[in-house]
Amino acid sequence: MAKTSVIERNKKRLKMIKQYAVKRDALKSVVRDLSVSLETRMEAQAKLCKLPRNSSKVRYQNRCAQTGRARAYFRFFGVSRIVLRELASNGLLPGVKKASW
């Protein structure tokens, strides 16, 4: 089980990502648009840098729904490999079976 503080920090990041998503996307589109003047693009880049770091999508870590484990995460199931194996062995995941059976 992952530390509660780490899980809560990740939840806080997700909330911040949603809060700043529109503003961040607007600034990024201005920075990428080559038809806009260089000064305007530089100003948009400076504003983008002033946004909180945790509002960036790349800082969010997918975590297991049951244990909070960050590594070996299966997106389709939303759990880590350890929990996935346990659930599959107990027959709690329909359509999933071990290859060696």
Side-chain angles (χ1 to χ4, degrees):
M1 189 78 180
K3 285 177 64 174
T4 310
S5 61
V6 176
I7 295 170
E8 291 302 316
R9 188 182 318 142
N10 208 37
K11 287 180 186 176
K12 184 179 175 184
R13 282 186 182 135
L14 185 61
K15 183 180 171 187
M16 198 173 278
I17 289 167
K18 290 178 182 175
Q19 179 182 353
Y20 286 95
V22 175
K23 189 173 189 178
R24 184 173 281 277
D25 290 340
L27 288 171
K28 278 187 175 184
S29 66
V30 171
V31 170
R32 290 188 192 125
D33 189 8
L34 297 177
S35 64
V36 179
S37 68
L38 182 63
E39 292 82 19
T40 308
R41 289 171 47 209
M42 295 294 279
E43 287 173 14
Q45 181 65 43
K47 288 179 184 176
L48 192 62
C49 288
K50 289 191 179 190
L51 291 178
R53 282 187 174 184
N54 285 336
S55 67
S56 177
K57 292 178 200 172
V58 296
R59 291 179 67 94
Y60 178 73
Q61 180 82 43
N62 287 326
R63 293 189 168 271
C64 176
Q66 290 187 6
T67 61
R69 181 180 167 89
R71 295 180 182 236
Y73 174 82
F74 283 81
R75 255 185 217 190
F76 186 79
F77 298 104
V79 293
S80 66
R81 65 177 173 83
I82 300 163
V83 175
L84 178 74
R85 186 168 191 257
E86 186 179 310
L87 291 174
S89 295
N90 294 336
L92 298 174
L93 292 176
V96 178
K97 63 178 184 176
K98 285 185 69 175
S100 59
W101 286 352

